[in-house]
Each structure stands twice: as C-alpha cells, then as structure tokens.
Amino acid sequence: MKRQRVAVLGLGKIGGIVLDGLLKSGLPPADAVATVRHPERAQALSAKRPVAVGTDNRAAVRGADVILIAVKPQNVRELLEEIRSDVTPAQLLISVAASVPTGFIEDALKAPIPVVRVMPNTPCQVGAGMAGICKGRHATDAHLDVARQLFDTVGRSVVVDEKHMDAVTGLSASGPAFVYIILESLAEAGVKVGLPRDVATILSAQTLLGAAKVALDTGDHPALLKDAVTTPAGCTIDGILELEEGKLRVTLIKAVVKATQRAKELMFEK
C-alpha cells in the first residue's frame, strides 16, 4: 500500500479505524487524504492525524489511486453523484458502506468503474480485523488483490460472493459486540468467585484471544478444541452443562441471524 494513494471519503468511525490501521501498517501520511462534511470537524481531525482532512470530495478523488467510500449507507447516493464526474476507470473504488450492493454504486457512477465492496469490523484498529470482500462487475482479480492487500494490513480478509455480504455483516461486523458481552460476563463471573475486577478482565480477555488464536492457527473444528479442554468428570463439563441449559449456543446463533436480517433491511432505508 506504500505506492497507493488513498482517499477516505467519510472519516467517521469505520473510515477512521481503517485509515489509522493503514497508517500504522506503513502507509505514508502524504499518500492519504480524507474528507468530512463540516470544516470544523475537518480541522479537529487534522489535528489528531498526520493526514490532510478536508471537505472537498472531488479534490480528494482526483489525486487518489484508491477511493474508500466510508459514509453512512443513506448518504452513498449523494456522495457518488457528487464525485461521479471525477472518478475514472483507472481508479479503484472500495465501499465499506454496509448493505450497499456494488450494482447500486456502479449504476450511480454511470461508468465502468472498478468497484469492490468490503465489510470490515472494528478490531481493524489494532491490526486484528476481519473483512469480507466481493467485487463488482467491472472489477478484476487484480482490483480484488489490491483491496485484500489493503485490508490484510489491518487483519484478515476473505473473498465471498456478494450474496453473502449481509451474513458477513451479521457475523464478523456485529460479532465483536457479541464477544464483548461474553467478555464482560466472564469478567463478572470472575468477580463473583472472588477475583479482583482488573485481574478477572485480563484473564477473560486473554482467554478469548488465546482460544481464537488456537482455532485460527490449528484449523481444528471448535468442537474438537472444546473436547481437548474438557476432561472426564472435571470442572469444564459442569460449566458447559450450565451454558447449554442457559441456551447460550442458540442465543448466539439467533443474534447473528437477527443482525443479518437487519443488514438486509438497511438498503431499503436509503
């Protein structure tokens, strides 16, 4: 990404997270520019980052190799109409706007612009993000590789068919919030059994991190990993029985299903 000039249109939460991740991974500040709606906000954000932040989307687009659309879904059409005359097929447009199909973006641009749709999540800010990626009809595998390289600098990425992007939103984009609830609950449990809160929180967080790393590094099915921890007549099986009785498994599945359904609805609210 050091040879790519990146314009982030919409330096809000997710735009800021992705930009900060890219800067931490080595993107030179001179090769990045960002925009927001209001001059006061632009001035405040410029003071926090070594990157030029302004309000002129058209100017930002003209100097970019990669254009990152990071505005709210309901504002995508307005933004695309604004920059349409300045975007060229030589550029790559990457959208992280939830629930906005590549076809919608392509139709709004009214030109054969390469479009890649990405659904990242907030752990990108610490280099541990997860992003689902799909390409539009004018994007090539090379464009897809550029998007993957960009988001692999802030975590991991997987290429999926566009029909699965709402499910990616419901699982990995919403998932951190579900995990934080689990983390909070484990820490509270530690306090309940007598641990200091700070110790309980560290134990819980590192346990979640370690378990996830084992799953990723080994590629083993979670059920096998669970069985490796669960000894006959030991402590763990009693805890698992409580989890099953409390329907934790079903509740988590329902949470992802609900979040996925909501992602499908966002498109109709623009």
Side-chain angles (χ1 to χ4, degrees):
M1 291 309 303
K2 293 182 179 180
R3 293 188 299 273
Q4 297 283 346
R5 292 168 296 172
V6 180
V8 180
L9 308 187
L11 193 61
K13 179 180 290 186
I14 194 64
I17 286 172
V18 173
L19 177 58
D20 288 345
L22 290 173
L23 293 172
K24 288 178 182 177
S25 70
L27 178 70
D31 286 346
V33 64
T35 63
V36 291
R37 279 181 176 270
H38 305 293
E40 312 81 44
R41 179 65 173 161
Q43 185 175 4
L45 290 174
S46 292
K48 295 180 179 179
R49 294 178 176 85
V51 171
V53 183
T55 59
D56 192 337
N57 291 315
R58 297 183 64 186
V61 164
R62 292 189 201 109
D65 299 304
V66 177
I67 303 164
L68 185 69
I69 302 295
V71 298
K72 294 180 180 179
Q74 59 267 31
N75 297 328
V76 170
R77 181 188 291 277
E78 178 185 356
L79 176 62
L80 293 176
E81 291 175 349
E82 178 185 353
I83 66 174
R84 182 164 55 206
S85 61
D86 298 284
V87 181
T88 74
Q91 297 170 302
L92 170 60
L93 193 149
I94 299 175
S95 171
V96 297
S99 306
V100 180
T102 56
F104 177 92
I105 297 171
E106 292 162 344
D107 291 345
L109 292 173
K110 298 182 178 179
I113 306 298
V115 176
V116 172
R117 178 180 169 189
V118 181
M119 190 68 253
N121 63 10
T122 54
C124 287
Q125 62 189 310
V126 294
M130 187 66 242
I133 299 178
C134 69
K135 65 178 181 177
R137 63 179 177 268
H138 304 302
T140 65
D141 288 341
H143 293 123
L144 200 62
D145 286 342
V146 170
R148 292 205 68 175
Q149 289 173 27
L150 192 156
F151 283 90
D152 281 349
T153 64
V154 292
R156 297 185 181 219
S157 64
V158 292
V159 176
V160 299
D161 291 336
E162 186 156 21
K163 65 182 179 181
H164 295 310
M165 287 297 283
D166 289 330
V168 170
T169 302
L171 178 55
S172 61
S174 297
F178 308 153
V179 174
Y180 294 140
I181 291 175
I182 294 172
L183 171 56
E184 182 183 27
S185 300
L186 289 172
E188 290 291 332
V191 173
K192 173 65 175 174
V193 295
L195 292 170
R197 183 171 296 278
D198 58 340
V199 174
T201 300
I202 292 173
L203 288 169
S204 302
Q206 184 63 32
T207 297
L208 290 176
L209 176 63
K213 183 170 175 54
V214 170
L216 289 171
D217 289 354
T218 66
D220 290 343
H221 192 284
L224 292 176
L225 299 175
K226 176 200 68 180
D227 290 347
V229 181
T230 310
T231 56
C235 305
T236 307
I237 189 61
D238 283 352
I240 290 175
L241 288 174
E242 287 293 328
L243 293 177
E244 295 293 1
E245 185 175 331
K247 298 183 179 180
L248 176 65
R249 185 192 303 265
V250 172
T251 301
L252 287 173
I253 292 172
K254 287 183 176 180
V256 173
V257 171
K258 281 289 187 179
T260 300
Q261 291 172 344
R262 179 60 180 151
K264 296 179 185 296
E265 296 169 357
L266 289 177
M267 182 59 195
F268 298 101
E269 295 182 1
K270 291 189 288 296

Short mmCIF file of all heavy atoms in Angstrom, two decimals, residues 109-172:
data_model
loop_
_atom_site.label_atom_id
_atom_site.label_comp_id
_atom_site.label_asym_id
_atom_site.label_seq_id
_atom_site.Cartn_x
_atom_site.Cartn_y
_atom_site.Cartn_z
N LEU A 109 -22.60 5.69 -10.60
CA LEU A 109 -21.43 6.29 -11.23
C LEU A 109 -21.59 6.43 -12.74
O LEU A 109 -20.91 7.24 -13.37
CB LEU A 109 -20.18 5.47 -10.91
CG LEU A 109 -19.72 5.51 -9.45
CD1 LEU A 109 -18.59 4.52 -9.22
CD2 LEU A 109 -19.28 6.91 -9.06
N LYS A 110 -22.43 5.60 -13.33
CA LYS A 110 -22.73 5.67 -14.77
C LYS A 110 -21.48 5.56 -15.64
O LYS A 110 -21.34 6.24 -16.66
CB LYS A 110 -23.49 6.96 -15.10
CG LYS A 110 -24.83 7.07 -14.41
CD LYS A 110 -25.57 8.34 -14.78
CE LYS A 110 -26.94 8.39 -14.11
NZ LYS A 110 -27.68 9.64 -14.45
N ALA A 111 -20.55 4.71 -15.21
CA ALA A 111 -19.31 4.47 -15.97
C ALA A 111 -18.75 3.13 -15.50
O ALA A 111 -19.07 2.67 -14.41
CB ALA A 111 -18.32 5.59 -15.72
N PRO A 112 -17.90 2.51 -16.31
CA PRO A 112 -17.33 1.20 -15.95
C PRO A 112 -16.22 1.32 -14.90
O PRO A 112 -15.06 1.01 -15.15
CB PRO A 112 -16.80 0.66 -17.27
CG PRO A 112 -16.43 1.90 -18.04
CD PRO A 112 -17.48 2.91 -17.68
N ILE A 113 -16.58 1.78 -13.72
CA ILE A 113 -15.62 1.99 -12.64
C ILE A 113 -15.43 0.69 -11.85
O ILE A 113 -16.42 0.06 -11.46
CB ILE A 113 -16.09 3.10 -11.68
CG1 ILE A 113 -16.40 4.38 -12.45
CG2 ILE A 113 -15.07 3.34 -10.58
CD1 ILE A 113 -15.23 4.97 -13.17
N PRO A 114 -14.21 0.27 -11.61
CA PRO A 114 -13.97 -0.92 -10.79
C PRO A 114 -14.45 -0.65 -9.35
O PRO A 114 -14.00 0.30 -8.72
CB PRO A 114 -12.46 -1.11 -10.85
CG PRO A 114 -12.00 -0.33 -12.03
CD PRO A 114 -12.93 0.83 -12.13
N VAL A 115 -15.34 -1.50 -8.87
CA VAL A 115 -15.89 -1.35 -7.52
C VAL A 115 -15.69 -2.64 -6.74
O VAL A 115 -15.98 -3.73 -7.24
CB VAL A 115 -17.40 -1.01 -7.55
CG1 VAL A 115 -17.96 -0.95 -6.13
CG2 VAL A 115 -17.63 0.31 -8.28
N VAL A 116 -15.16 -2.51 -5.54
CA VAL A 116 -15.02 -3.63 -4.63
C VAL A 116 -15.75 -3.26 -3.34
O VAL A 116 -15.58 -2.16 -2.81
CB VAL A 116 -13.55 -3.96 -4.33
CG1 VAL A 116 -13.44 -5.02 -3.22
CG2 VAL A 116 -12.85 -4.45 -5.58
N ARG A 117 -16.56 -4.18 -2.87
CA ARG A 117 -17.31 -3.96 -1.63
C ARG A 117 -16.64 -4.71 -0.49
O ARG A 117 -16.28 -5.88 -0.63
CB ARG A 117 -18.75 -4.45 -1.82
CG ARG A 117 -19.64 -4.32 -0.59
CD ARG A 117 -21.02 -4.84 -0.93
NE ARG A 117 -21.85 -4.98 0.26
CZ ARG A 117 -23.05 -5.58 0.26
NH1 ARG A 117 -23.56 -6.06 -0.87
NH2 ARG A 117 -23.74 -5.67 1.38
N VAL A 118 -16.46 -4.03 0.63
CA VAL A 118 -15.79 -4.62 1.78
C VAL A 118 -16.62 -4.39 3.04
O VAL A 118 -17.18 -3.31 3.24
CB VAL A 118 -14.38 -4.00 1.98
CG1 VAL A 118 -13.68 -4.64 3.18
CG2 VAL A 118 -13.54 -4.17 0.72
N MET A 119 -16.69 -5.41 3.88
CA MET A 119 -17.33 -5.25 5.18
C MET A 119 -16.30 -5.58 6.25
O MET A 119 -16.05 -6.73 6.57
CB MET A 119 -18.53 -6.20 5.31
CG MET A 119 -19.39 -5.93 6.55
SD MET A 119 -20.26 -4.35 6.50
CE MET A 119 -19.34 -3.37 7.69
N PRO A 120 -15.61 -4.55 6.78
CA PRO A 120 -14.62 -4.77 7.84
C PRO A 120 -15.27 -4.71 9.21
O PRO A 120 -16.48 -4.50 9.32
CB PRO A 120 -13.66 -3.59 7.64
CG PRO A 120 -14.57 -2.48 7.17
CD PRO A 120 -15.67 -3.16 6.35
N ASN A 121 -14.48 -4.91 10.26
CA ASN A 121 -15.01 -4.73 11.61
C ASN A 121 -14.05 -3.88 12.44
O ASN A 121 -12.94 -3.57 12.01
CB ASN A 121 -15.32 -6.07 12.29
CG ASN A 121 -14.10 -6.95 12.50
OD1 ASN A 121 -12.97 -6.54 12.31
ND2 ASN A 121 -14.34 -8.18 12.89
N THR A 122 -14.48 -3.49 13.62
CA THR A 122 -13.73 -2.52 14.41
C THR A 122 -12.37 -3.01 14.92
O THR A 122 -11.50 -2.16 15.14
CB THR A 122 -14.57 -2.04 15.60
OG1 THR A 122 -15.02 -3.16 16.38
CG2 THR A 122 -15.78 -1.25 15.13
N PRO A 123 -12.11 -4.30 15.10
CA PRO A 123 -10.75 -4.70 15.51
C PRO A 123 -9.66 -4.35 14.49
O PRO A 123 -8.48 -4.57 14.76
CB PRO A 123 -10.88 -6.22 15.71
CG PRO A 123 -12.30 -6.40 16.15
CD PRO A 123 -13.06 -5.43 15.28
N CYS A 124 -10.05 -3.79 13.34
CA CYS A 124 -9.05 -3.28 12.40
C CYS A 124 -8.13 -2.27 13.08
O CYS A 124 -6.97 -2.11 12.70
CB CYS A 124 -9.73 -2.61 11.20
SG CYS A 124 -10.52 -3.75 10.03
N GLN A 125 -8.66 -1.58 14.09
CA GLN A 125 -7.88 -0.52 14.74
C GLN A 125 -6.66 -1.05 15.48
O GLN A 125 -5.73 -0.30 15.77
CB GLN A 125 -8.77 0.26 15.71
CG GLN A 125 -9.34 -0.54 16.85
CD GLN A 125 -10.37 0.25 17.63
OE1 GLN A 125 -10.12 1.38 18.02
NE2 GLN A 125 -11.53 -0.34 17.85
N VAL A 126 -6.64 -2.36 15.78
CA VAL A 126 -5.48 -2.95 16.45
C VAL A 126 -4.83 -4.02 15.58
O VAL A 126 -4.09 -4.87 16.07
CB VAL A 126 -5.87 -3.54 17.83
CG1 VAL A 126 -6.28 -2.43 18.78
CG2 VAL A 126 -6.97 -4.59 17.71
N GLY A 127 -5.12 -3.99 14.28
CA GLY A 127 -4.50 -4.94 13.37
C GLY A 127 -5.05 -6.34 13.44
O GLY A 127 -4.44 -7.29 12.94
N ALA A 128 -6.23 -6.50 14.05
CA ALA A 128 -6.83 -7.82 14.20
C ALA A 128 -8.23 -7.86 13.60
O ALA A 128 -9.11 -8.57 14.07
CB ALA A 128 -6.89 -8.21 15.68
N GLY A 129 -8.41 -7.09 12.54
CA GLY A 129 -9.73 -7.01 11.92
C GLY A 129 -10.07 -8.22 11.06
O GLY A 129 -9.23 -9.05 10.76
N MET A 130 -11.33 -8.27 10.66
CA MET A 130 -11.82 -9.30 9.75
C MET A 130 -12.69 -8.60 8.71
O MET A 130 -13.57 -7.82 9.07
CB MET A 130 -12.64 -10.34 10.51
CG MET A 130 -13.06 -11.54 9.67
SD MET A 130 -11.65 -12.55 9.13
CE MET A 130 -11.75 -12.40 7.35
N ALA A 131 -12.41 -8.87 7.44
CA ALA A 131 -13.16 -8.22 6.37
C ALA A 131 -13.64 -9.23 5.35
O ALA A 131 -12.88 -10.08 4.92
CB ALA A 131 -12.29 -7.15 5.70
N GLY A 132 -14.90 -9.11 4.97
CA GLY A 132 -15.45 -9.86 3.85
C GLY A 132 -15.36 -8.98 2.62
O GLY A 132 -15.65 -7.78 2.68
N ILE A 133 -14.94 -9.55 1.48
CA ILE A 133 -14.70 -8.76 0.27
C ILE A 133 -15.36 -9.43 -0.94
O ILE A 133 -15.31 -10.64 -1.10
CB ILE A 133 -13.19 -8.63 0.01
CG1 ILE A 133 -12.49 -7.92 1.17
CG2 ILE A 133 -12.91 -7.89 -1.29
CD1 ILE A 133 -10.99 -7.79 1.01
N CYS A 134 -15.99 -8.60 -1.77
CA CYS A 134 -16.53 -9.10 -3.05
C CYS A 134 -16.32 -8.02 -4.11
O CYS A 134 -16.16 -6.84 -3.79
CB CYS A 134 -18.01 -9.47 -2.91
SG CYS A 134 -19.11 -8.06 -2.67
N LYS A 135 -16.31 -8.42 -5.36
CA LYS A 135 -16.06 -7.47 -6.43
C LYS A 135 -17.30 -7.25 -7.28
O LYS A 135 -18.18 -8.10 -7.40
CB LYS A 135 -14.90 -7.93 -7.30
CG LYS A 135 -15.15 -9.21 -8.07
CD LYS A 135 -13.94 -9.56 -8.94
CE LYS A 135 -14.20 -10.84 -9.74
NZ LYS A 135 -13.08 -11.17 -10.64
N GLY A 136 -17.35 -6.06 -7.89
CA GLY A 136 -18.41 -5.72 -8.81
C GLY A 136 -18.11 -6.22 -10.21
O GLY A 136 -17.07 -6.83 -10.46
N ARG A 137 -18.99 -5.91 -11.14
CA ARG A 137 -18.86 -6.48 -12.49
C ARG A 137 -17.71 -5.88 -13.30
O ARG A 137 -17.26 -6.50 -14.27
CB ARG A 137 -20.18 -6.34 -13.26
CG ARG A 137 -20.65 -4.94 -13.53
CD ARG A 137 -21.96 -4.97 -14.33
NE ARG A 137 -22.51 -3.64 -14.58
CZ ARG A 137 -23.38 -3.03 -13.80
NH1 ARG A 137 -23.79 -3.64 -12.69
NH2 ARG A 137 -23.84 -1.83 -14.10
N HIS A 138 -17.22 -4.70 -12.94
CA HIS A 138 -16.11 -4.09 -13.68
C HIS A 138 -14.76 -4.30 -13.00
O HIS A 138 -13.73 -3.93 -13.55
CB HIS A 138 -16.35 -2.58 -13.84
CG HIS A 138 -17.65 -2.24 -14.51
ND1 HIS A 138 -17.98 -2.70 -15.76
CD2 HIS A 138 -18.70 -1.50 -14.08
CE1 HIS A 138 -19.18 -2.26 -16.10
NE2 HIS A 138 -19.63 -1.53 -15.10
N ALA A 139 -14.76 -4.87 -11.83
CA ALA A 139 -13.51 -5.10 -11.10
C ALA A 139 -12.87 -6.42 -11.53
O ALA A 139 -13.56 -7.40 -11.80
CB ALA A 139 -13.77 -5.12 -9.60
N THR A 140 -11.56 -6.43 -11.60
CA THR A 140 -10.81 -7.62 -11.97
C THR A 140 -10.24 -8.28 -10.72
O THR A 140 -10.34 -7.76 -9.62
CB THR A 140 -9.65 -7.24 -12.91
OG1 THR A 140 -8.72 -6.43 -12.18
CG2 THR A 140 -10.16 -6.48 -14.13
N ASP A 141 -9.61 -9.43 -10.93
CA ASP A 141 -8.94 -10.09 -9.82
C ASP A 141 -7.82 -9.22 -9.26
O ASP A 141 -7.51 -9.26 -8.07
CB ASP A 141 -8.38 -11.45 -10.26
CG ASP A 141 -9.47 -12.49 -10.49
OD1 ASP A 141 -10.59 -12.28 -9.97
OD2 ASP A 141 -9.20 -13.48 -11.17
N ALA A 142 -7.20 -8.42 -10.13
CA ALA A 142 -6.14 -7.52 -9.69
C ALA A 142 -6.69 -6.46 -8.73
O ALA A 142 -6.06 -6.12 -7.73
CB ALA A 142 -5.48 -6.84 -10.88
N HIS A 143 -7.87 -5.94 -9.05
CA HIS A 143 -8.52 -4.98 -8.16
C HIS A 143 -8.85 -5.64 -6.82
O HIS A 143 -8.69 -5.04 -5.75
CB HIS A 143 -9.80 -4.44 -8.79
CG HIS A 143 -9.56 -3.60 -10.00
ND1 HIS A 143 -10.13 -3.89 -11.22
CD2 HIS A 143 -8.81 -2.48 -10.18
CE1 HIS A 143 -9.75 -2.98 -12.10
NE2 HIS A 143 -8.95 -2.12 -11.50
N LEU A 144 -9.32 -6.86 -6.91
CA LEU A 144 -9.64 -7.60 -5.69
C LEU A 144 -8.39 -7.79 -4.84
O LEU A 144 -8.44 -7.68 -3.60
CB LEU A 144 -10.24 -8.96 -6.06
CG LEU A 144 -11.08 -9.69 -5.00
CD1 LEU A 144 -12.29 -8.87 -4.62
CD2 LEU A 144 -11.50 -11.05 -5.52
N ASP A 145 -7.26 -8.06 -5.49
CA ASP A 145 -6.00 -8.23 -4.76
C ASP A 145 -5.58 -6.94 -4.06
O ASP A 145 -5.06 -6.98 -2.94
CB ASP A 145 -4.90 -8.68 -5.73
CG ASP A 145 -5.04 -10.13 -6.15
OD1 ASP A 145 -5.77 -10.87 -5.45
OD2 ASP A 145 -4.43 -10.52 -7.17
N VAL A 146 -5.79 -5.81 -4.70
CA VAL A 146 -5.45 -4.53 -4.07
C VAL A 146 -6.27 -4.33 -2.81
O VAL A 146 -5.76 -3.94 -1.75
CB VAL A 146 -5.68 -3.35 -5.04
CG1 VAL A 146 -5.58 -2.01 -4.30
CG2 VAL A 146 -4.69 -3.40 -6.19
N ALA A 147 -7.57 -4.63 -2.90
CA ALA A 147 -8.44 -4.49 -1.73
C ALA A 147 -8.02 -5.45 -0.62
O ALA A 147 -8.00 -5.07 0.56
CB ALA A 147 -9.89 -4.75 -2.13
N ARG A 148 -7.68 -6.65 -0.99
CA ARG A 148 -7.24 -7.62 0.02
C ARG A 148 -5.94 -7.18 0.68
O ARG A 148 -5.79 -7.29 1.91
CB ARG A 148 -7.05 -9.00 -0.61
CG ARG A 148 -8.34 -9.67 -1.06
CD ARG A 148 -8.20 -11.18 -1.09
NE ARG A 148 -8.05 -11.74 0.25
CZ ARG A 148 -8.00 -13.04 0.50
NH1 ARG A 148 -8.08 -13.91 -0.49
NH2 ARG A 148 -7.87 -13.49 1.74
N GLN A 149 -5.01 -6.68 -0.13
CA GLN A 149 -3.74 -6.21 0.44
C GLN A 149 -4.00 -5.06 1.42
O GLN A 149 -3.38 -4.99 2.49
CB GLN A 149 -2.81 -5.75 -0.68
CG GLN A 149 -2.26 -6.88 -1.53
CD GLN A 149 -1.49 -6.37 -2.73
OE1 GLN A 149 -0.94 -5.27 -2.71
NE2 GLN A 149 -1.46 -7.15 -3.80
N LEU A 150 -4.91 -4.19 1.06
CA LEU A 150 -5.23 -3.06 1.92
C LEU A 150 -5.77 -3.53 3.26
O LEU A 150 -5.30 -3.11 4.32
CB LEU A 150 -6.23 -2.15 1.20
CG LEU A 150 -6.51 -0.76 1.77
CD1 LEU A 150 -7.02 0.16 0.68
CD2 LEU A 150 -7.52 -0.81 2.92
N PHE A 151 -6.74 -4.42 3.23
CA PHE A 151 -7.38 -4.83 4.48
C PHE A 151 -6.61 -5.93 5.21
O PHE A 151 -6.78 -6.10 6.41
CB PHE A 151 -8.83 -5.23 4.21
CG PHE A 151 -9.73 -4.05 4.04
CD1 PHE A 151 -9.95 -3.50 2.79
CD2 PHE A 151 -10.31 -3.44 5.14
CE1 PHE A 151 -10.74 -2.36 2.63
CE2 PHE A 151 -11.09 -2.31 5.01
CZ PHE A 151 -11.31 -1.77 3.74
N ASP A 152 -5.74 -6.62 4.50
CA ASP A 152 -4.87 -7.58 5.19
C ASP A 152 -3.83 -6.86 6.06
O ASP A 152 -3.27 -7.46 6.98
CB ASP A 152 -4.16 -8.49 4.18
CG ASP A 152 -5.06 -9.60 3.67
OD1 ASP A 152 -6.15 -9.80 4.25
OD2 ASP A 152 -4.69 -10.27 2.68
N THR A 153 -3.59 -5.59 5.77
CA THR A 153 -2.66 -4.83 6.62
C THR A 153 -3.27 -4.54 7.98
O THR A 153 -2.55 -4.18 8.92
CB THR A 153 -2.25 -3.50 5.96
OG1 THR A 153 -3.40 -2.66 5.82
CG2 THR A 153 -1.60 -3.74 4.62
N VAL A 154 -4.58 -4.65 8.11
CA VAL A 154 -5.24 -4.37 9.40
C VAL A 154 -5.95 -5.61 9.94
O VAL A 154 -6.85 -5.52 10.77
CB VAL A 154 -6.23 -3.19 9.28
CG1 VAL A 154 -5.48 -1.90 9.04
CG2 VAL A 154 -7.26 -3.43 8.18
N GLY A 155 -5.56 -6.78 9.45
CA GLY A 155 -6.17 -8.02 9.94
C GLY A 155 -6.18 -9.10 8.88
O GLY A 155 -5.17 -9.35 8.22
N ARG A 156 -7.33 -9.71 8.70
CA ARG A 156 -7.50 -10.76 7.71
C ARG A 156 -8.67 -10.42 6.79
O ARG A 156 -9.51 -9.59 7.14
CB ARG A 156 -7.78 -12.11 8.37
CG ARG A 156 -6.66 -12.63 9.26
CD ARG A 156 -7.00 -14.02 9.77
NE ARG A 156 -5.95 -14.53 10.65
CZ ARG A 156 -5.52 -15.78 10.67
NH1 ARG A 156 -6.05 -16.67 9.86
NH2 ARG A 156 -4.56 -16.17 11.49
N SER A 157 -8.72 -11.10 5.65
CA SER A 157 -9.84 -10.89 4.73
C SER A 157 -10.21 -12.21 4.07
O SER A 157 -9.38 -13.12 3.95
CB SER A 157 -9.47 -9.85 3.66
OG SER A 157 -8.41 -10.33 2.84
N VAL A 158 -11.45 -12.30 3.67
CA VAL A 158 -11.93 -13.45 2.90
C VAL A 158 -12.75 -12.92 1.73
O VAL A 158 -13.46 -11.92 1.86
CB VAL A 158 -12.79 -14.42 3.74
CG1 VAL A 158 -11.95 -15.11 4.80
CG2 VAL A 158 -13.97 -13.69 4.38
N VAL A 159 -12.64 -13.59 0.59
CA VAL A 159 -13.43 -13.23 -0.59
C VAL A 159 -14.68 -14.09 -0.59
O VAL A 159 -14.61 -15.31 -0.45
CB VAL A 159 -12.63 -13.44 -1.88
CG1 VAL A 159 -13.49 -13.17 -3.10
CG2 VAL A 159 -11.39 -12.55 -1.89
N VAL A 160 -15.84 -13.43 -0.73
CA VAL A 160 -17.11 -14.14 -0.75
C VAL A 160 -17.95 -13.66 -1.93
O VAL A 160 -17.67 -12.61 -2.53
CB VAL A 160 -17.90 -13.92 0.56
CG1 VAL A 160 -17.12 -14.44 1.76
CG2 VAL A 160 -18.24 -12.44 0.75
N ASP A 161 -18.96 -14.44 -2.28
CA ASP A 161 -19.95 -13.96 -3.25
C ASP A 161 -20.74 -12.84 -2.62
O ASP A 161 -20.99 -12.84 -1.40
CB ASP A 161 -20.90 -15.09 -3.65
CG ASP A 161 -20.20 -16.17 -4.47
OD1 ASP A 161 -19.18 -15.86 -5.10
OD2 ASP A 161 -20.70 -17.32 -4.46
N GLU A 162 -21.17 -11.89 -3.42
CA GLU A 162 -21.87 -10.73 -2.86
C GLU A 162 -23.14 -11.11 -2.12
O GLU A 162 -23.53 -10.44 -1.17
CB GLU A 162 -22.18 -9.71 -3.96
CG GLU A 162 -22.77 -8.43 -3.39
CD GLU A 162 -22.57 -7.21 -4.28
OE1 GLU A 162 -22.34 -7.41 -5.50
OE2 GLU A 162 -22.63 -6.09 -3.78
N LYS A 163 -23.76 -12.21 -2.51
CA LYS A 163 -24.99 -12.62 -1.82
C LYS A 163 -24.75 -12.95 -0.35
O LYS A 163 -25.70 -13.02 0.43
CB LYS A 163 -25.59 -13.83 -2.54
CG LYS A 163 -24.73 -15.09 -2.49
CD LYS A 163 -25.37 -16.24 -3.25
CE LYS A 163 -24.50 -17.49 -3.22
NZ LYS A 163 -25.10 -18.62 -3.98
N HIS A 164 -23.48 -13.15 0.02
CA HIS A 164 -23.16 -13.49 1.41
C HIS A 164 -22.72 -12.29 2.24
O HIS A 164 -22.41 -12.44 3.43
CB HIS A 164 -22.04 -14.54 1.45
CG HIS A 164 -22.42 -15.86 0.85
ND1 HIS A 164 -23.57 -16.53 1.19
CD2 HIS A 164 -21.78 -16.64 -0.07
CE1 HIS A 164 -23.64 -17.66 0.52
NE2 HIS A 164 -22.57 -17.75 -0.26
N MET A 165 -22.70 -11.10 1.65
CA MET A 165 -22.16 -9.95 2.37
C MET A 165 -23.01 -9.52 3.57
O MET A 165 -22.47 -9.05 4.57
CB MET A 165 -21.97 -8.78 1.41
CG MET A 165 -20.80 -8.96 0.47
SD MET A 165 -19.18 -9.06 1.30
CE MET A 165 -18.90 -7.34 1.69
N ASP A 166 -24.32 -9.69 3.49
CA ASP A 166 -25.15 -9.37 4.65
C ASP A 166 -24.86 -10.32 5.81
O ASP A 166 -24.88 -9.92 6.98
CB ASP A 166 -26.64 -9.43 4.29
CG ASP A 166 -27.06 -8.27 3.38
OD1 ASP A 166 -26.44 -7.20 3.48
OD2 ASP A 166 -27.98 -8.46 2.57
N ALA A 167 -24.57 -11.58 5.48
CA ALA A 167 -24.22 -12.55 6.52
C ALA A 167 -22.87 -12.18 7.14
O ALA A 167 -22.67 -12.35 8.36
CB ALA A 167 -24.17 -13.95 5.93
N VAL A 168 -21.93 -11.69 6.33
CA VAL A 168 -20.65 -11.22 6.85
C VAL A 168 -20.88 -10.07 7.83
O VAL A 168 -20.28 -10.00 8.90
CB VAL A 168 -19.72 -10.77 5.70
CG1 VAL A 168 -18.49 -10.07 6.26
CG2 VAL A 168 -19.30 -11.97 4.86
N THR A 169 -21.79 -9.18 7.46
CA THR A 169 -22.13 -8.05 8.34
C THR A 169 -22.68 -8.55 9.67
O THR A 169 -22.29 -8.08 10.74
CB THR A 169 -23.16 -7.13 7.65
OG1 THR A 169 -22.64 -6.67 6.41
CG2 THR A 169 -23.50 -5.93 8.54
N GLY A 170 -23.60 -9.51 9.59
CA GLY A 170 -24.23 -10.03 10.81
C GLY A 170 -23.28 -10.81 11.69
O GLY A 170 -23.43 -10.83 12.92
N LEU A 171 -22.28 -11.46 11.08
CA LEU A 171 -21.36 -12.30 11.85
C LEU A 171 -20.11 -11.55 12.31
O LEU A 171 -19.91 -11.31 13.50
CB LEU A 171 -20.96 -13.53 11.03
CG LEU A 171 -19.96 -14.49 11.69
CD1 LEU A 171 -20.45 -14.97 13.05
CD2 LEU A 171 -19.69 -15.69 10.77
N SER A 172 -19.26 -11.15 11.36
CA SER A 172 -17.98 -10.57 11.77
C SER A 172 -18.03 -9.07 12.06
O SER A 172 -17.23 -8.56 12.85
CB SER A 172 -16.90 -10.86 10.73
OG SER A 172 -17.23 -10.29 9.48
#
